[in-house]
Amino acid sequence: MIDVVSKQCSAGTIETFALQTTSVSFRVKNFTDDFIKVCLGKTWDAAHAVTIDAGMAEIVESNTNPNKHLTREATNTVLIRAEATGLVEVIRND
């Protein structure tokens, strides 16, 4: 089964994408006409948000370098703030 959530995002609003199962890796597809910002977990952190340009898809991972004594935190929540209203899709990537 593919764990995927597609949503119409409103410009300037932080939208919550709740997937069925936790993961440390998500593919995020931006179908809007402007960039989006992405955070993993239930807390918005603009300083550490990943930017995905319009019409692009990226894999967003939690702490990609566990050798630096950081814990890879699994989550089922992805927060997205779109700059333009449009469709965004999040797929669990494991």
Side-chain angles (χ1 to χ4, degrees):
M1 175 181 81
I2 298 174
D3 197 359
V4 60
V5 177
S6 297
K7 264 190 188 184
Q8 192 73 17
C9 294
S10 298
T13 302
I14 297 171
E15 300 283 348
T16 300
F17 288 70
L19 288 97
Q20 294 178 10
T21 307
T22 61
S23 181
V24 295
S25 181
F26 300 89
R27 179 177 300 275
V28 181
K29 297 179 181 180
N30 179 8
F31 296 103
T32 74
D33 292 330
D34 205 343
F35 70 89
I36 61 173
K37 294 281 193 173
V38 181
C39 286
L40 300 183
K42 296 181 181 180
T43 305
W44 181 257
D45 183 359
H48 294 99
V50 174
T51 301
I52 300 175
D53 287 328
M56 301 298 291
E58 296 284 344
I59 294 174
V60 180
E61 294 184 337
S62 172
N63 181 22
T64 58
N65 189 352
N67 295 327
K68 292 192 174 184
H69 306 291
L70 300 172
T71 304
R72 289 187 73 148
E73 294 184 25
T75 184
N76 71 330
T77 305
V78 178
L79 301 176
I80 295 179
R81 183 182 186 278
E83 291 301 307
T85 297
L87 183 67
V88 175
E89 184 175 88
V90 177
I91 305 166
R92 198 180 83 238
N93 197 48
D94 60 354

